[in-house]
Amino acid sequence: MKLLRHGPKGQEKPGCLDASGRVRDLSEHVRDIAGEALLPESIARLKALNMDALPIVEGTPQDDLRLGPCVGQTGKFVCIGLNYADHAAESGLDVPPEPVIFNKWTSAIIGPDDDVIVPRGSEKTDWEVELGVVIGKGGAYIDEADAMDHVAGFCVINDVSEREYQIERAGTWDKGKGCDTFGPTGPWLVTPDEVGDYDALGMWLEVDGTRYQNGSTATMVYKVPHLISYCSQFMSLQPGDIISTGTPPGVGMGCKPPVYLKGGETMRLSIEGLGVQTQVVKTAN
């Protein structure tokens, strides 16, 4: 099932995508794609609905019908750094002995096609296509063998990053990761049964038609079940929390010479079976 949130910013309604690519409204069945609606029993109830009987939402998704972030009321936006062997190599860094954890502030979360804003004074705003994992059933100290029971679904994330703030301005990575608009999420939340082998999904990102990233989740060092278990040792995970699992090579910082976003560009990115995002890059006022 492909769950989504449609409508103007701050007024998104719950919905799903039918087999013909139309949006069906779920407002009569859940308040939002958030919280308790992401629990396994709630997802099962939604899957059991007669899709053809659900109201059709006017418009074409990602055209004249805006899609918001595919999950609402996210409490934690947890990210994993240097989790692709080939990306670590392009960064000139060793694969870390344990997963590197940092955070994006939830105010960074935007819809999949909303504008990305380069912060004032930024010279090194960069891109990263990533596989997002959305927690359904919460928990702490989750066993790796049980980790997938806690997953509501997967989505595309663009882990937009300001490298000077992240690396050169002292402190933790969070400073360069959580700027407003730095977390496009969606277009939809795809339940695990429709994703298939999440360890072998093709993924790519283009800027103005030039493909910079062209990788696969197959080169992920620490896999999804391990990441869920690992994160849950340091924090409880709740429904709607997002874990963004790292990026393959091809980021702007890794180009020779480096390439960064200045404003005016268009980013497009996708993960196999999870949809496409498109963002216009603008500069802060």
Side-chain angles (χ1 to χ4, degrees):
M1 193 173 196
K2 293 181 175 67
L3 297 167
L4 54 84
R5 301 168 71 244
H6 61 91
K9 293 181 182 180
Q11 302 175 42
E12 292 92 348
K13 296 180 179 180
C16 59
L17 194 73
D18 69 17
S20 63
R22 296 173 300 182
V23 171
R24 301 279 182 159
D25 189 66
L26 289 173
S27 297
E28 293 184 4
H29 302 278
V30 289
R31 292 183 179 180
D32 199 356
I33 306 301
E36 293 184 355
L38 297 167
L39 293 172
E41 55 269 29
S42 299
I43 297 287
R45 283 195 295 269
L46 293 177
K47 288 181 179 178
L49 296 173
N50 179 2
M51 184 80 71
D52 293 335
L54 296 172
I56 294 175
V57 179
E58 292 186 10
T60 301
Q62 301 186 273
D63 184 1
D64 56 346
L65 175 62
R66 176 186 176 270
L67 298 186
C70 60
V71 61
Q73 304 173 37
T74 295
K76 292 189 289 297
F77 196 164
V78 184
C79 300
I80 309 298
L82 299 173
N83 194 35
Y84 281 65
D86 37 10
H87 173 55
E90 89 168 336
S91 302
L93 298 170
D94 294 330
V95 172
E98 296 183 37
V100 172
I101 296 177
F102 61 90
N103 297 297
K104 293 180 88 75
W105 317 125
T106 55
S107 53
I109 298 173
I110 58 172
D113 308 306
D114 292 343
D115 295 340
V116 165
I117 308 300
V118 174
R120 292 181 184 178
S122 168
E123 297 291 338
K124 298 183 178 180
T125 295
D126 203 347
W127 55 81
E128 296 187 5
V129 58
E130 303 203 359
L131 176 67
V133 180
V134 176
I135 298 299
K137 182 174 71 173
Y141 304 107
I142 297 168
D143 288 337
E144 189 169 335
D146 301 326
M148 294 307 297
D149 294 338
H150 293 259
V151 175
F154 296 89
C155 63
V156 181
I157 301 285
N158 189 353
D159 176 19
V160 185
S161 309
E162 212 299 344
R163 303 303 187 186
E164 180 189 1
Y165 302 175
Q166 175 190 356
I167 299 168
E168 302 171 34
R169 294 281 295 272
T172 64
W173 284 11
D174 307 331
K175 189 183 295 182
K177 292 287 191 172
C179 301
D180 289 357
T181 76
F182 273 23
T185 302
W188 24 77
L189 176 65
V190 185
T191 52
D193 57 299
E194 289 199 12
V195 174
D197 186 1
Y198 51 83
D199 283 334
L201 300 176
M203 53 203 309
W204 56 264
L205 182 145
E206 298 175 347
V207 180
D208 289 340
T210 297
R211 183 160 296 195
Y212 286 92
Q213 292 190 274
N214 197 22
S216 169
T217 58
T219 64
M220 193 184 291
V221 177
Y222 298 106
K223 305 297 186 181
V224 171
H226 180 78
L227 293 175
I228 293 169
S229 176
Y230 185 84
C231 290
S232 77
Q233 310 307 305
F234 305 100
M235 67 198 85
S236 61
L237 297 174
Q238 282 102 33
D241 286 350
I242 299 169
I243 301 176
S244 197
T245 57
T247 197
V251 300
M253 182 175 62
C255 296
K256 300 185 186 305
V259 178
Y260 295 115
L261 301 167
K262 302 299 183 184
E265 303 93 343
T266 297
M267 292 185 285
R268 294 187 73 247
L269 56 149
S270 179
I271 299 178
E272 182 180 352
L274 302 184
V276 178
Q277 296 186 355
T278 304
Q279 296 111 29
V280 174
V281 182
K282 297 185 177 179
T283 54
N285 295 326

